[in-house]
Amino acid sequence: MRYWLMKTEPGDVSIDDLAALPNQTVAWYGVRNYQARNFMRDQMRVNDGVLYYHSNCATPGIVGIARVSSTAYPDATQFDRTSKYFDPKATQETPRWFNVDVQLVRKIPFIPIKELRQHPELERMRTLQRGNRLSITPLDPAEWNFILKHLVRD
DNA sequence: GCCAACGTTGGC
DNA sequence: GCCAACGTTGGC
């Protein structure tokens, strides 16, 4: 069982958008970075833990807990000419991009990135590293446990 | 296969 | 809106 932090822009699929979707599940489409793709395709398993993170917004931070609810399958948007994620080099026979499904477990009280930065236990988190731009990053179990035990208040 | 130019990400 | 950091592209 692995743990992940997955970024989304709230204008794209916010935590409330996710909560309103059928089965509270979303296909994690649109990832066009090979490292992030490989995490989904090669390492993610059903029931892996996910921290749902809002990025590129006024107050970035963790907004919910989710889980991986499918293994990876070809990202449908790569074949869709009308999608901004269309990839002319991808074919049905040799898809280039993959995604998993992510299902909401529960919304949590907002944990801003500012607060994450205050804890030495989390200083090695990939998301907090300078220059990090990966939208999907692995979390140490220790980091996951620390956040759930000490930072999640409900 | 190098590497400069370019585009994107994302915190601030 | 700025800009540092990074990934990708494409000419050579």
Side-chain angles (χ1 to χ4, degrees):
Chain A
M1 164 122 177
R2 291 186 167 96
Y3 302 98
W4 309 93
L5 183 143
M6 299 176 79
K7 294 180 192 172
T8 178
E9 299 189 15
D12 190 0
V13 185
S14 73
I15 189 80
D16 290 326
D17 294 336
L18 177 62
L21 285 169
N23 295 324
Q24 303 191 322
T25 298
V26 67
W28 209 259
Y29 61 84
V31 168
R32 295 295 180 268
N33 169 285
Y34 289 104
Q35 255 189 290
R37 177 203 69 179
N38 292 348
F39 285 144
M40 288 197 283
R41 190 192 59 186
D42 304 336
Q43 295 193 27
M44 283 193 183
R45 297 294 177 262
V46 171
N47 283 329
D48 278 2
V50 173
L51 295 179
Y52 205 90
Y53 182 95
H54 282 176
S55 71
N56 201 16
C57 53
T59 49
I62 298 167
V63 291
I65 296 167
R67 70 181 189 99
V68 174
S69 62
S70 80
T71 51
Y73 56 93
D75 178 338
T77 61
Q78 70 191 307
F79 308 123
D80 176 1
R81 290 186 171 279
T82 67
S83 168
K84 67 171 180 171
Y85 298 115
F86 176 68
D87 183 343
K89 293 179 181 166
T91 65
Q92 298 279 349
E93 294 72 32
T94 55
R96 178 179 291 203
W97 305 109
F98 293 81
N99 64 253
V100 298
D101 289 341
V102 171
Q103 181 176 39
L104 180 66
V105 173
R106 62 192 171 107
K107 260 182 90 167
I108 60 168
F110 183 59
I111 309 171
I113 188 173
K114 260 189 175 174
E115 182 174 355
L116 298 175
R117 289 195 192 284
Q118 286 168 4
H119 297 282
E121 292 87 346
L122 302 178
E123 67 188 4
R124 300 190 61 192
M125 263 178 69
R126 291 278 294 273
T127 304
L128 302 182
Q129 303 308 306
R130 177 180 174 82
N132 171 71
R133 299 188 326 181
L134 260 189
S135 62
I136 299 174
T137 49
L139 279 173
D140 282 348
E143 293 164 347
W144 168 272
N145 290 333
F146 179 84
I147 290 169
L148 264 73
K149 184 170 178 196
H150 298 289
L151 303 187
V152 175
R153 312 247 173 260
D154 8 28

